[in-house]
Amino acid sequence: VGSPNQLTREPSVNLLDSFVDHWKGITNYYIETTGQTRPVKQTDIPWRLKQMLDILVYEEGQQGQEEMGPCMEYLLQHKLLETLCTLGKAQYPPGMNQQVLVFFSKILVQIQKPMLHILNVYRPVQKLVRLCGLLGSQTEKEEAQFMFVVCSRVKQDPYVLNYILEDNHSKRSISTSEDTEKGRSGETVPSNYPTASNPASTSSPQQHSPTDSPSTIFPANAGLIHVLVHLSRSQKSRVALKAFESLLLLVSIPKEDTAVCLAESTPLCQLLAERLCELFSQLPATLEPADIHSFPQTHWSVSFSQSGMQERQSFPGSEHMERFFAWLDFLDHLMREAPKRLAVKLAKEIHHCWLVGVLQHELLQMSEMGVLVNTALLCCSVRHIQSPAMVEELVSFLLGRHTEREQRLDTESHVLRYQLIEHCDHISDEISITTLLLFEELLQKPHRDILFNLVLRNLENRCYVTRTLGGGDDYISHEGTTFCILASMTRFTVFKLYTVVLFCSFLCLVPQEAKTSQHVQGARYETYVHDAHGQLKECTAFLLDWDWPKSLKPTELSVSSSDFFEGHFLKVLFDRIGRILEQPYELNLQVTSVLSRLAVFPHPHLHEYLLDPYIILAPGVRSLFSVLIRVIGELMQRIEVIPNFKEKLVHVRRQLMGLDGESGVDHMPLLKGVIILEEFCKELAAIAFVKLPANNKLAEH
């Protein structure tokens, strides 16, 4: 018997006889030959299996999908798949397991009728699954393809997942109400299959009842989930990629009961999280923070492609980092594709197993190098995480769930949060920079609680403003008289004047003798306006569902201004910006970057506290503008004692821009600090400008 085309030309051929003959040809081989070591490819077994498959496919095409043909009935009633599975397990002749895997894969792909609900199909499929993923396997490619095909069939008919998972008589099963109907005998069969009421089905093989459906509890031995996770660890990139795709097929099934089954009754989430911990533990402790920070965004599908492997960065530990972040990206992808119930379960498992179980200890250790490397790894991880479920767990891990105002002396309510904020002002500049970078990455996540936890909960009652014109910060409280002048003007004139005042307050903050941008071509103010508009647009997209107030909350007389505390995060940032003239250039860049990110958010209280130069501060309260005023005051005193200050300042700016070579200029931290101060004030002016409604549209052009 030849191919289906040949069968079409020879209708007189009895398909069942030919099918049985080919099967007997296979079984006779085992009867007639003993002890031979010829590989299976040197026998006629592969050819006979192909002929049997061709006959089944042709028969289905002739019969249609409404009825089961005699060849398929023979295969099922005589348990041919079960026998093939046994022969594959015996590996006789050598290579037989490979042939069985290929045959199972092809029959599941080419036969269109639902099959995996049938006892004499899913039982051998279960057994063959257990033969996959063994150590030292020579058939990983075929195993990965077989598993992919099985997951594809499950994706098409989610209810059959019950029949693929191990059978330990679990009471839980996936609902089949949409996919099956009851026959007279109580057997559960697909609605498009012949039933007991249909004469065409009188000889149908045994179907499975939902009360006997295979267990969805954790199997004692290797099952579908274990094998897929094992294959995902393969050194062969194509095998691993196929396993990743199979897992993605399973978790992206939209049926809620399938998600519940995978989340609650299989070890899927636990195994995936444990693999993440394993890969993290393999990262060398000697990784360079600079290599971690410059490590590109890793996409799991690209990492396992040939082009991705060729473009991989190369430094000590790079392969371990590639594997870890590819797996993290894959898990994040799974959580984006999975139904919410499954995504949340996986995220919580990662939280428990990796974040709390492994990473927390590493972040709180005493070794500065250990803290530095692990903070850098966490920062890179935050950059990779996009799924809402995982961002939720990340926020809970890093910041906690507290909603009340912070207390100045409270350092115990969430130890990790407090320590991370303190690390922003660490004696090690590298740790400070890396931790600030971590918070900057966190502030880019579209999660309302991040900004509320770090800043907004402390500004809710506006205790930073005084109730009278008296008191407040000595540097700026007198400016409150501006409002008396504004009160006598029209609304439009007030708005225009306020725009100009706000714009000039920051842009003109740095005295002329400390400005150098007009002497050296650099970042123009217009560039900052363009960048600020882009950031504002991004932030605005975040907060569509955040229900932020549109205007300032009236101050409450019952709330004492003496209770105001800006919170540990802003305190550290203000302390850092107050030392801008003394700190390293790279550290200043990172501090100003975080503050700029905060200033962009269009919350009225945050805008007022960070960007309104003329609020009347309560006694003992400082704002960003008041801190900058003090820095300028300190700068003016120090300028007087530095000879040729302007020339040196221009020279350092040219050095930073690569226009002049290195030279031994003294007061370098101060000079670099002044340059960053000037640029930071331009950036704040641009942010304040684009956040005013009329100017926001103008900034688009």
Side-chain angles (χ1 to χ4, degrees), residues 116 122 126 154 157-167 172-176 208 210 212-216 261:
L116 285 178
Y122 73 71
Q126 279 184 349
V154 172
D157 302 303
Y159 76 94
V160 302
L161 182 61
N162 275 320
Y163 307 123
I164 300 305
L165 298 173
E166 297 298 325
D167 189 357
R172 182 192 296 274
S173 67
I174 300 174
S175 168
T176 60
H208 207 293
D212 298 324
S213 63
S215 168
T216 55
C261 169

Side-chain angles (χ1 to χ4, degrees), residues 323-616:
R323 283 196 291 269
F324 171 76
F325 284 110
W327 186 254
L328 180 62
D329 182 68
F330 173 65
L331 296 188
D332 193 67
H333 189 137
L334 285 187
M335 287 180 278
R336 293 198 302 272
E337 296 292 326
K340 184 176 180 180
R341 179 77 172 267
L342 180 55
V344 168
K345 177 62 185 294
L346 178 54
K348 288 186 178 299
E349 192 67 42
I350 294 171
H351 184 164
H352 170 74
C353 188
W354 176 51
L355 293 177
V356 174
V358 178
L359 193 55
Q360 181 168 282
H361 170 75
E362 300 296 336
L363 293 170
L364 296 175
Q365 65 178 292
M366 299 302 294
S367 165
E368 287 191 3
M369 182 52 67
V371 169
L372 178 59
V373 169
N374 284 282
T375 305
L377 288 170
L378 174 59
C379 184
C380 195
S381 300
V382 171
R383 190 163 68 245
H384 277 78
I385 292 170
Q386 304 293 333
S387 63
M390 195 61 232
V391 170
E392 181 76 25
E393 296 304 314
L394 194 65
V395 172
S396 175
F397 170 69
L398 293 174
L399 304 179
R401 298 296 186 190
H402 298 284
T403 58
E404 64 277 4
R405 285 186 298 160
E406 289 183 73
Q407 301 299 316
R408 194 177 300 272
L409 300 179
D410 179 17
T411 62
E412 301 295 332
S413 58
H414 194 288
V415 174
L416 180 60
R417 176 188 185 275
Y418 178 75
Q419 286 297 327
L420 286 173
I421 291 175
E422 287 297 296
H423 286 174
C424 294
D425 201 5
H426 199 277
I427 191 172
S428 163
D429 293 333
E430 276 193 287
I431 289 178
S432 295
I433 293 170
T434 300
T435 312
L436 285 164
L437 188 58
L438 167 64
F439 279 106
E440 185 177 17
E441 289 288 351
L442 199 58
L443 287 167
Q444 295 181 51
K445 298 300 174 187
H447 196 292
R448 176 178 179 169
D449 290 353
I450 296 171
L451 201 63
F452 179 79
N453 183 289
L454 290 172
V455 178
L456 291 179
R457 58 173 164 156
N458 303 307
L459 306 181
E460 273 192 311
N461 294 321
R462 297 180 63 221
C463 297
Y464 48 86
V465 298
T466 190
R467 276 47 171 188
T468 65
L469 289 179
D473 192 300
D474 294 335
Y475 282 99
I476 63 172
S477 59
H478 65 280
E479 302 290 356
T481 54
T482 304
F483 289 108
C484 300
I485 301 171
L486 297 179
S488 63
M489 301 179 181
T490 66
R491 185 174 181 179
F492 180 70
T493 306
V494 167
F495 177 78
K496 288 180 66 177
L497 181 59
Y498 180 70
T499 301
V500 173
V501 168
L502 202 60
F503 173 79
C504 293
S505 294
F506 284 105
L507 204 59
C508 303
L509 190 58
V510 177
Q512 202 63 34
E513 53 266 44
K515 289 184 176 180
T516 53
S517 54
Q518 70 270 30
H519 298 285
V520 181
Q521 184 177 3
R524 301 175 60 193
Y525 171 72
E526 292 80 1
T527 305
Y528 285 114
V529 171
H530 180 270
D531 292 345
H533 176 261
Q535 292 179 25
L536 178 62
K537 195 173 182 181
E538 179 187 332
C539 291
T540 305
F542 285 176
L543 51 87
L544 292 176
D545 301 323
W546 289 5
D547 194 29
W548 274 1
K550 302 293 184 184
S551 58
L552 292 168
K553 177 182 178 180
T555 56
E556 301 175 17
L557 294 176
S558 59
V559 180
S560 171
S561 297
S562 63
D563 294 337
F564 178 74
F565 173 50
E566 65 264 47
H568 293 99
F569 189 57
L570 279 182
K571 175 185 180 300
V572 166
L573 293 177
F574 286 175
D575 288 347
R576 278 295 191 188
I577 205 70
R579 302 198 297 270
I580 193 171
L581 302 179
E582 307 160 10
Q583 296 171 155
Y585 179 75
E586 295 76 12
L587 178 54
N588 282 334
L589 283 177
Q590 195 56 56
V591 173
T592 55
S593 181
V594 174
L595 279 167
S596 298
R597 180 70 186 179
L598 285 174
V600 168
F601 284 99
H603 190 286
H605 296 175
L606 189 61
H607 177 87
E608 177 185 49
Y609 186 58
L610 293 183
L611 292 179
D612 190 338
Y614 299 120
I615 57 171
I616 310 165

Side-chain angles (χ1 to χ4, degrees), residues 146-157:
F146 167 64
M147 299 298 290
F148 179 79
V149 169
V150 170
C151 292
S152 298
R153 293 302 291 251
V154 172
K155 174 83 170 180
Q156 293 172 11
D157 302 303

Side-chain angles (χ1 to χ4, degrees), residues 1-2 17-29 32 40 43-56 80 84 96 99 103:
V1 178
D17 288 345
S18 297
F19 187 81
V20 173
D21 284 345
H22 283 300
W23 177 244
K24 287 182 177 179
I26 292 174
T27 56
N28 284 340
Y29 173 86
E32 297 169 359
V40 68
T43 71
D44 65 352
I45 292 176
W47 175 76
R48 290 190 179 279
L49 287 173
K50 184 179 185 306
Q51 298 307 306
M52 292 171 66
L53 179 66
D54 288 345
I55 291 172
L56 291 170
L80 268 57
L84 281 173
M96 186 61 185
Q99 297 300 317
F103 182 78

Side-chain angles (χ1 to χ4, degrees), residues 182-381:
K182 287 279 187 177
R184 287 181 186 172
S185 63
E187 297 166 344
T188 304
V189 297
S191 57
N192 64 341
Y193 241 66
T195 66
S197 60
N198 186 338
S201 66
T202 55
S203 61
S204 295
Q206 179 183 353
Q207 310 289 335
H208 207 293
S209 167
T211 58
D212 298 324
S213 63
S215 168
T216 55
I217 63 171
F218 295 4
N221 52 355
L224 181 75
I225 305 300
H226 288 84
V227 172
L228 287 174
V229 174
H230 176 84
L231 290 174
S232 72
R233 304 158 66 110
S234 175
Q235 297 299 310
K236 300 175 182 176
S237 59
R238 291 184 180 179
V239 170
L241 182 59
K242 190 65 76 173
F244 278 44
E245 292 170 344
S246 300
L247 285 165
L248 187 56
L249 282 172
L250 279 184
V251 303
S252 61
I253 295 172
K255 286 176 67 69
E256 180 66 20
D257 44 7
T258 303
V260 172
C261 169
L262 290 171
E264 306 298 337
S265 304
T266 76
L268 175 65
C269 297
Q270 179 184 343
L271 290 174
L272 296 178
E274 286 176 354
R275 177 59 176 159
L276 185 71
C277 294
E278 180 185 358
L279 291 169
F280 186 79
S281 69
Q282 294 172 1
L283 294 172
T286 54
L287 284 170
E288 288 292 334
D291 291 332
I292 300 173
H293 289 311
S294 63
F295 197 74
Q297 187 82 9
T298 303
H299 298 284
W300 63 270
S301 56
V302 176
S303 293
F304 289 95
S305 67
Q306 293 300 318
S307 60
M309 295 173 70
Q310 291 168 2
E311 295 172 4
R312 180 178 294 164
Q313 284 192 355
S314 181
F315 55 83
S318 59
E319 290 187 7
H320 291 291
M321 281 193 64
E322 182 77 26
R323 283 196 291 269
F324 171 76
F325 284 110
W327 186 254
L328 180 62
D329 182 68
F330 173 65
L331 296 188
D332 193 67
H333 189 137
L334 285 187
M335 287 180 278
R336 293 198 302 272
E337 296 292 326
K340 184 176 180 180
R341 179 77 172 267
L342 180 55
V344 168
K345 177 62 185 294
L346 178 54
K348 288 186 178 299
E349 192 67 42
I350 294 171
H351 184 164
H352 170 74
C353 188
W354 176 51
L355 293 177
V356 174
V358 178
L359 193 55
Q360 181 168 282
H361 170 75
E362 300 296 336
L363 293 170
L364 296 175
Q365 65 178 292
M366 299 302 294
S367 165
E368 287 191 3
M369 182 52 67
V371 169
L372 178 59
V373 169
N374 284 282
T375 305
L377 288 170
L378 174 59
C379 184
C380 195
S381 300

